[in-house]
Amino acid sequence: LKANISLIKTEEKDFSGIIVVLHDVTEQEQIEQERREFVATVSHELRTPLTTMRSYLEALSDGALEDENLAPQFIKVTQDETERMIRLVKDLLQLSKIDSQEFKINESTVEMLEYMTLIVDRFEMTKGHQFVFTKVFPKHELNMIIDSDKMTQVFDNILSNAIKYSPEGGEILINMALQNEGLIIEISDKGVGIPADSVEKIFDRFYRVDKARSRKLGGTGLGLAIAKEIIREHQGEIWATSKEGKGTTIHIKLPIARYKGGAMK
Ligand code: ADP
């Protein structure tokens, strides 16, 4: 809170009163501070892959290039880091679009059983040898008004996390149910889980439980932050429940106003 105090003088008297103006600067300052922190974090996040690449390229030019064993490994590291940086910049651009008012959702009616089946099948095709995907869907069709491209991105991020953070493989359960308040979709894994004090933070930009692990798996720390914004644009909710060492469930609720009926299958 900022206070401006002025003394009031009149012709006759030197002093006739005080005006106190109180400004609520806290919100403005907080936004400004968050912005500064964000720029600092982004710079750091971009510098890390660049310095890694620089040292591997230096090693290559200092002789590792001639080493049959080392050269392919070092080149692979620089390729992976380049890919991750491209993903990072792509995610950042998307977040900046979301933050500016340009972000519009492109709504259409989507039948969710078919839609979710397509998304899950795509993962099953590439990861089916390591994971069992179980779908628990209702018996009737579910027509929902959503932005199908943006929601696909949400489910892609959540499903790839379920895979990334489940080193032993295991079952990934996709549960969909219509309730009074809305459509609930839950994606559960049997992976490493999340410590209790981090469960709420995983939707924050650049927050990772284990930075090194996330980086090694090609993560940017922005997937769930983007998911949260897309769900917010749908007036929905997203949250996580988890037990360390046992697994994680990501819950999504889409408002009932988006439900447009559906026949029995
Ligand atoms: P990242 O690119 O690091 O995966 P995300 O925004 O997708 O970024 O997730 C943020 C963090 O939340 C991850 O780094 C990880 O620590 C944690 N996390 C997300 N999903 C899971 C999951 N299914 N199991 C365990 N931890 C998870």
Side-chain angles (χ1 to χ4, degrees):
L1 208 67
K2 197 167 98 184
N4 280 343
I5 303 175
S6 340
L7 299 183
I8 304 173
K9 293 180 187 170
T10 55
E11 297 270 321
E12 312 83 63
K13 285 190 251 169
D14 264 356
F15 174 79
S16 65
I18 298 176
I19 297 179
V20 180
V21 183
L22 298 174
H23 298 274
D24 186 1
V25 289
T26 46
E27 195 186 345
Q28 193 63 34
E29 246 161 39
Q30 197 186 334
I31 290 170
E32 194 46 36
Q33 187 180 339
E34 275 171 13
R35 197 193 58 82
R36 277 197 298 268
E37 268 168 30
F38 187 64
V39 172
T41 313
V42 168
S43 315
H44 180 78
E45 294 288 338
L46 287 170
R47 203 181 56 189
T48 310
L50 284 171
T51 50
T52 306
M53 277 153 62
R54 181 174 62 192
S55 47
Y56 279 88
L57 288 170
E58 261 168 27
L60 282 165
S61 84
D62 286 351
L65 194 57
E66 271 82 60
D67 188 315
E68 271 175 40
N69 290 320
L70 285 182
Q73 283 178 43
F74 285 13
I75 289 169
K76 174 90 171 45
V77 174
T78 61
Q79 278 173 333
D80 289 351
E81 285 295 273
T82 309
E83 287 304 322
R84 201 170 68 80
M85 231 170 94
I86 291 171
R87 270 201 304 280
L88 181 60
V89 172
K90 227 172 92 196
D91 285 353
L92 278 169
L93 280 174
Q94 193 177 0
L95 273 175
S96 105
K97 219 185 214 169
I98 290 171
D99 290 343
S100 74
Q101 302 304 314
E102 270 177 66
F103 191 70
K104 288 247 153 42
I105 64 171
N106 186 10
E107 296 180 329
S108 65
T109 305
V110 173
E111 200 288 297
M112 295 301 286
L113 301 193
E114 196 183 336
Y115 172 79
M116 286 303 290
T117 302
L118 270 175
I119 292 178
V120 175
D121 284 357
R122 197 152 35 77
F123 275 85
E124 203 163 17
M125 209 110 78
T126 55
K127 297 287 178 182
H129 58 285
Q130 206 190 337
F131 291 88
V132 177
F133 293 83
T134 307
K135 298 183 287 252
V136 179
F137 290 177
K139 294 277 176 285
H140 53 87
E141 291 178 337
L142 282 164
N143 292 309
M144 296 288 292
I145 299 181
I146 58 168
D147 182 323
S148 109
D149 287 349
K150 297 214 170 69
M151 285 300 285
T152 300
Q153 202 184 342
V154 171
F155 294 119
D156 278 354
N157 288 346
I158 295 172
L159 283 166
S160 39
N161 281 346
I163 287 164
K164 276 195 318 206
Y165 301 108
S166 302
E168 314 291 334
E171 188 188 20
I172 294 177
L173 179 68
I174 301 99
N175 206 332
M176 189 154 61
L178 189 66
Q179 296 183 352
N180 287 338
E181 330 87 87
L183 178 67
I184 306 279
I185 302 171
E186 291 165 345
I187 296 167
S188 308
D189 64 59
K190 299 211 157 94
V192 296
I194 301 164
D197 59 353
S198 296
V199 177
E200 282 180 16
K201 297 187 198 143
I202 60 168
F203 299 95
D204 293 348
R205 296 174 187 196
F206 291 120
Y207 183 86
R208 291 98 138 189
V209 175
D210 180 340
K211 257 201 167 153
R213 185 207 288 263
S214 154
R215 260 190 69 201
K216 219 170 78 200
L217 297 168
T220 64
L222 295 174
L224 288 179
I226 292 174
K228 186 180 79 180
E229 297 292 349
I230 293 172
I231 295 296
R232 198 211 308 269
E233 292 289 332
H234 283 78
Q235 297 83 40
E237 287 166 54
I238 182 167
W239 70 99
T241 51
S242 187
K243 245 203 166 93
E244 254 190 295
K246 292 260 187 275
T248 301
T249 301
I250 304 289
H251 311 252
I252 290 177
K253 185 158 92 184
L254 292 174
I256 199 70
R258 295 191 168 274
Y259 175 60
K260 292 295 158 207
M264 285 300 282
K265 272 263 178 192

